[in-house]
Amino acid sequence: MLTDYVSPPLLCGIILIGALALFISDKVRHDLIALSALFACLATGLVKFGDALKGFADPAVITVAAVLVVGRALELTGVAGWVARSVIPEKAGFTARLTMLLIGACFLSAFMNHIAALVIMMPLATELARQSKKQVGTVLMPLSFATMIGGMTTLIATPPNMILSSFREKALGAPFGFFTMTPVGLAVCVVGLTYLILLGWRLLPHRKGNEMTADSPWRVLELPLDARKVLVREDISRQLRQSRTRILGLLRRNKTIKWPKNNRVQSGDRLLLISRSLPAEIRETIDFLRGKETAEPGHVTARLMVPHNSPLIGETHDAVKSHSNGGLEVVAAGPRAATLRCALSVVPIQSGDQLFISGPPDDIARFAANERLIELDRRDSIPVNLRTAIQTVAIFAAAILLVIFTDVPPSLSFLGAAALIAALRLIPKEEVYSSIDWSILVLLAAMIPVGGSFETSGAADFIAKTVGGVMTGFPLPLAIAAMCALTLCLTILLNNVATAVIMGPLAIQLAQLLHVQPDAMLLAVLVGTSCDFLTPIGHQNNLLIMGPGGYRFSDYSRVGALMSLLVIATTAVVLSLQYG
């Protein structure tokens, strides 16, 4: 074994630094990086063959999978959206409504996936901005930050919380309780929300040209031409300019062709256009289109955004019609389609794309929930199925109560809840496994043995002694602040799961060296893994709102820098009072 010739701490350090470099580059899938690091540890003897797959059986991995299923079932009932809409007063002022919006986001993210909480609250945020005559970017960043800090308040809120709980169980013999992190998490929520409501949103720049302002968004659409007429491109372009529309190309059998020299088009030819106007508005101003289609009674058009975990990614725009059994159709696409200049039916859907979908409001709401799409321009919600909602909420609450008041571990409690929800058909059968983010599970399961090697090789002890030498003599609040800040800096660059795996053993070792309560350091790490306020790449929710909010990279640090300092200071004060 290589460990016979090279120091194990040095080998572990090389592997972790290589993994960190790949994580930061963002050029390789995170789950593949974790598996590569695991195999590197196996090849060098840092991880025994018998321990390589133990991460897949770790209670933290099972709990994450089960909570994702239960949270998805809760999301599909529509009850979370109903609660969110109920607590936001429609006739109150902007500050009052923003306050309730952010509190609602915090509450939802304490019990369900961060992205799901954002998906539920985002239409309410855009409606709030529109009614208050403000840019949507004014509320989206505070909303994203609110979903993050809500994840600090319960054991099941984020995967890092459960990973750190698993480390605590191995080191101290018992995991975190369901509400162990609630005192510090709640304090951070109060301070963070107060900052966001009173000052944070005011620090955002007011830019014109934001995609989500009151002005209509750019959309790419196709309209059929009247083959009976002689159509001169210059004449058509002149008419289209009246409706803020320009030609991208002429489509024939889904391919872009040159304009006919005789100005004659064939039956079935279509214009590919980019416009800020709706198709009906374009038709009213021009006379060269085939027919005058009328909207179906009761149909609406909604603008939706495709997040990174949508099942539609990789499929063409025609998949919307097939997935909805013909009830819905894409009538326009977002600006990215303009660069491709081909028929929408053959354009593959990517993360961040915008889809303009037409159909009955309830059908669009259900489709958006099933395909994990974020509604940007409508406030329609999933119709609440009262029977399903009551049963799902009851099962979820029972699982939480079992964890709080009995010795049943969270992995068994929530796995049982997920199984019962599936058995009672409270979640569509195809959603049971598709609701699980398998890349996160693989990342978790692979990094757990790697994190174990960080401790068993002596690397964690070496770093802890080095850092501990610097921190010796620090008062407890300063030591906690330093641990939280270090974690925060690392989680800006890495996936928060990888950060928790690396920082968990280090926190325990450092606590022993400094003779402080291990929970104080572990909870400082827990808070730090949720503080991705400085860049759009540190957290998926920040990345999701970047396009719709019209943000630049520097906007995040403009709002997030002071919030990060407030969170670190609050964490240091609360944990030092609690464990001092």
Side-chain angles (χ1 to χ4, degrees):
M1 285 292 178
L2 195 56
T3 51
D4 296 334
Y5 306 98
V6 183
S7 167
L10 178 60
L11 274 178
C12 186
I14 292 171
I15 292 171
L16 281 178
I17 290 172
L20 294 181
L22 288 174
F23 277 127
I24 294 169
S25 72
D26 207 27
K27 292 182 179 179
V28 183
R29 288 171 55 103
H30 286 182
D31 48 352
L32 182 57
I33 297 171
L35 287 172
S36 300
L38 174 59
F39 283 116
C41 288
L42 282 170
T44 55
L46 292 172
V47 174
K48 297 178 180 178
F49 291 114
D51 296 333
L53 299 180
K54 284 186 177 179
F56 288 91
D58 192 280
V61 175
I62 296 170
T63 307
V64 169
V67 167
L68 287 174
V69 174
V70 176
R72 180 64 172 157
L74 189 65
E75 179 189 351
L76 291 174
T77 64
V79 70
W82 175 79
V83 170
R85 293 190 306 278
S86 299
V87 300
I88 300 176
E90 293 189 5
K91 296 183 179 179
F94 174 75
T95 301
R97 296 182 69 190
L98 179 63
T99 300
M100 297 311 298
L101 176 81
L102 300 188
I103 290 174
C106 267
F107 177 79
L108 290 181
S109 61
F111 298 99
M112 64 195 310
N113 182 276
H114 286 172
I115 295 178
L118 181 67
V119 167
I120 290 168
M121 301 301 292
M122 203 164 166
L124 304 178
T126 58
E127 184 71 14
L128 168 60
R130 189 160 39 245
Q131 291 181 358
S132 303
K133 298 181 179 179
K134 297 182 183 297
Q135 292 180 324
V136 174
T138 302
V139 295
L140 288 188
M141 191 179 293
L143 176 63
S144 177
F145 288 0
T147 61
M148 291 183 212
I149 58 178
M152 304 176 190
T153 53
T154 68
L155 176 65
I156 63 170
T158 65
N161 295 6
M162 288 174 270
I163 294 171
L164 294 170
S165 178
S166 181
F167 278 127
R168 186 188 192 279
E169 184 175 16
K170 292 173 184 175
L172 305 178
F176 282 135
F178 192 86
F179 293 115
T180 300
M181 60 289 303
T182 302
V184 65
L186 195 59
V188 168
C189 284
V190 171
V191 172
L193 292 183
T194 301
Y195 163 74
L196 290 172
I197 292 164
L198 298 181
L199 179 62
W201 67 270
R202 300 177 191 273
L203 298 178
L204 288 164
H206 300 283
R207 296 194 188 96
K208 294 182 179 179
N210 188 324
E211 285 186 8
M212 296 290 293
T213 60
D215 198 7
S216 298
W218 286 107
R219 67 198 79 203
V220 177
L221 62 151
E222 301 172 13
L223 292 178
L225 290 167
D226 189 346
R228 298 170 299 177
K229 297 181 178 180
V230 176
L231 303 176
V232 180
R233 179 171 178 139
E234 290 72 19
D235 294 341
I236 293 175
S237 297
R238 186 169 54 255
Q239 291 186 52
L240 288 172
R241 279 196 291 271
Q242 299 174 16
S243 58
R244 297 182 297 176
T245 305
R246 66 183 182 87
I247 299 174
L248 295 175
L250 178 64
L251 298 174
R252 180 174 295 168
R253 300 183 187 91
N254 291 336
K255 294 182 179 179
T256 305
I257 63 171
K258 293 182 179 180
W259 198 268
K261 292 182 179 180
N262 61 1
N263 293 319
R264 290 282 185 182
V265 298
Q266 297 180 8
S267 178
D269 286 355
R270 306 182 308 283
L271 274 182
L272 184 67
L273 307 170
I274 183 167
S275 177
R276 285 193 184 273
S277 301
L278 295 170
E281 296 171 340
I282 298 173
R283 288 178 177 278
E284 290 176 358
T285 60
I286 54 182
D287 58 6
F288 50 80
L289 297 176
R290 188 179 73 240
K292 293 290 181 181
E293 298 177 5
T294 56
E296 292 284 343
H299 281 209
V300 298
T301 298
R303 179 160 63 123
L304 302 102
M305 188 176 71
V306 183
H308 84 287
N309 61 342
S310 171
L312 286 177
I313 292 175
E315 301 205 42
T316 64
H317 288 64
D318 278 352
V320 171
K321 197 165 190 175
S322 61
H323 285 209
S324 62
N325 296 320
L328 305 174
E329 65 174 331
V330 176
V331 295
R336 186 182 71 87
T339 63
L340 303 177
R341 295 179 182 263
C342 58
L344 297 182
S345 60
V346 300
V347 173
I349 296 172
Q350 294 183 6
S351 174
D353 280 356
Q354 296 177 28
L355 305 176
F356 295 79
I357 296 179
S358 177
D362 287 352
D363 290 354
I364 292 177
R366 290 191 192 93
F367 182 79
N370 291 335
E371 304 297 333
R372 298 193 182 95
L373 303 177
I374 299 176
E375 293 196 39
L376 301 178
D377 281 346
R378 285 194 319 124
R379 197 172 169 174
D380 294 327
S381 58
I382 310 170
V384 178
N385 184 320
L386 190 59
R387 182 187 68 83
T388 301
I390 291 174
Q391 289 179 296
T392 304
V393 171
I395 293 171
F396 189 30
I400 293 173
L401 293 174
L402 275 176
V403 174
I404 297 172
F405 295 110
T406 72
D407 294 329
V408 177
S411 54
L412 287 179
S413 179
F414 288 103
L415 182 61
L420 185 57
I421 285 172
L424 295 176
R425 298 183 179 181
L426 299 177
I427 183 173
K429 60 182 181 181
E430 64 274 8
E431 285 283 345
V432 175
Y433 288 107
S434 65
S435 61
I436 299 172
D437 191 336
W438 293 100
S439 65
I440 290 293
L441 289 194
V442 172
L443 171 65
L444 263 173
M447 285 300 293
I448 285 172
V450 175
S453 73
F454 181 56
E455 185 174 6
T456 57
S457 68
D461 184 57
F462 173 77
I463 295 176
K465 287 179 179 178
T466 303
V467 176
V470 175
M471 293 173 60
T472 299
F474 277 19
L476 182 59
L478 189 56
I480 292 172
M483 177 57 71
C484 186
L486 180 61
T487 306
L488 188 153
C489 292
L490 193 58
T491 203
I492 290 170
L493 304 173
L494 299 182
N495 181 289
N496 57 3
V497 170
T499 301
V501 169
I502 294 170
M503 294 299 295
L506 181 61
I508 294 171
Q509 296 268 17
L510 194 59
Q512 293 171 348
L513 285 172
L514 298 177
H515 305 291
V516 301
Q517 288 276 2
D519 281 356
M521 289 301 187
L522 281 172
L523 290 176
V525 170
L526 184 148
V527 172
T529 59
S530 294
C531 294
D532 309 327
F533 305 134
L534 298 177
T535 72
I537 59 175
H539 195 281
Q540 294 165 346
N541 282 12
N542 280 353
L543 197 58
L544 281 176
I545 63 166
M546 190 173 186
Y551 300 124
R552 296 175 184 168
F553 199 95
S554 60
D555 292 339
Y556 290 86
S557 59
R558 183 195 295 254
V559 178
L562 181 54
M563 184 160 178
S564 297
L565 293 175
L566 289 172
V567 167
I568 292 170
T570 303
T571 302
V573 171
V574 172
L575 291 180
S576 61
L577 290 174
Q578 189 175 358
Y579 295 102

